[in-house]
Amino acid sequence: MEKTLVLIKPDGVQRGIIGKIITRFEDVGLKIVAMKMVHPEQEDVDKHYALTEEWMMAVYTKAKTKYEAEGKEFPFVDHKAYGGNIKAGLVDFLRSSPVVAIVAEGEMAVSLVRKMVGATEPASSPAGTIRGDFSHDTYALSNEQGRPLRNLIHASGNVQEANNEIPIWFTDIELHKYEHVNDRVQYDAKWFLPE
Ligand code: ADP
């Protein structure tokens, strides 16, 4: 069974929607195996958002593509400067108030949670997704204001990322092993068969 990391970022905590976000993961049948509120250290955020060439290029390209799709000129030329600014903003943002860290477990949990979270830009996230339903922030506004997108939540992008991210926020002992009713109802092949 896959495990994935979710962080409810400071905007999610301040907006008072921690419960609503967690409810969505419970409703879809995921099992919460770890959860805590934490005021991140700089080191935690640094590890979590590693400033790699790949990441800087990815954030730059995603935003540029969106501007161009809207017929707007993307006013930034250097992906390193652009990515570096976003990273610096993320460090300040994530350390501005406590965040809620969660590990959710289930069949294809990583892609399931990403689907529920939506796109990086809330304004492009479909209704029904967490970012689409609870925020409408845009690249244009966040870039104009020189701050990271306020998109409420982080979710691991793939299984490798989840495996790297979970130990940043949780020790092994904090990852609980317990039987949940969904282990039987959703996943036990023999659950409904007569003895
Ligand atoms: P995601 O959280 O959707 O996986 P990324 O890993 O690309 O997105 O970026 C990490 C976080 O950095 C985003 O959730 C968002 O808060 C912020 N961010 C990313 N790209 C931009 C951008 N172009 N402008 C402002 N903030 C951004």
Side-chain angles (χ1 to χ4, degrees), residues 124-184:
S124 312
S125 287
T129 62
I130 293 167
R131 287 171 173 168
D133 283 353
F134 295 113
S135 171
H136 51 265
D137 200 11
T138 61
Y139 281 121
L141 184 62
S142 65
N143 285 182
E144 192 184 305
Q145 296 183 343
R147 57 162 176 79
L149 282 161
R150 293 181 184 151
N151 57 12
L152 304 164
I153 184 166
H154 163 83
S156 307
N158 54 52
V159 172
Q160 185 58 53
E161 232 175 74
N163 292 340
N164 294 340
E165 290 174 356
I166 291 169
I168 300 172
W169 301 95
F170 294 98
T171 61
D172 274 354
I173 213 164
E174 292 172 320
L175 297 170
H176 296 279
K177 292 185 180 63
Y178 66 100
E179 193 175 2
H180 190 284
V181 69
N182 284 343
D183 293 334
R184 285 173 58 71

Side-chain angles (χ1 to χ4, degrees), residues 47-179:
K47 278 196 216 146
H48 183 84
Y49 289 116
L51 193 55
T52 60
E53 168 67 23
E54 191 190 355
W55 187 82
M56 290 186 286
M57 188 51 95
V59 291
Y60 182 84
T61 308
K62 266 198 282 183
K64 188 167 188 279
T65 305
K66 181 67 200 310
Y67 271 66
E68 288 171 357
E70 289 175 348
K72 293 185 198 140
E73 195 187 329
F74 190 56
F76 304 93
V77 287
D78 179 356
H79 70 281
K80 288 191 180 163
Y82 187 75
N85 278 338
I86 291 170
K87 166 68 194 280
L90 281 170
V91 171
D92 289 344
F93 181 48
L94 261 80
R95 300 194 65 226
S96 66
S97 109
V99 302
V100 175
I102 298 161
V103 177
E105 185 183 274
E107 176 71 6
M108 299 190 66
V110 175
S111 56
L112 168 60
V113 169
R114 284 291 279 206
K115 178 182 76 173
M116 295 170 76
V117 164
T120 302
E121 184 193 45
S124 312
S125 287
T129 62
I130 293 167
R131 287 171 173 168
D133 283 353
F134 295 113
S135 171
H136 51 265
D137 200 11
T138 61
Y139 281 121
L141 184 62
S142 65
N143 285 182
E144 192 184 305
Q145 296 183 343
R147 57 162 176 79
L149 282 161
R150 293 181 184 151
N151 57 12
L152 304 164
I153 184 166
H154 163 83
S156 307
N158 54 52
V159 172
Q160 185 58 53
E161 232 175 74
N163 292 340
N164 294 340
E165 290 174 356
I166 291 169
I168 300 172
W169 301 95
F170 294 98
T171 61
D172 274 354
I173 213 164
E174 292 172 320
L175 297 170
H176 296 279
K177 292 185 180 63
Y178 66 100
E179 193 175 2

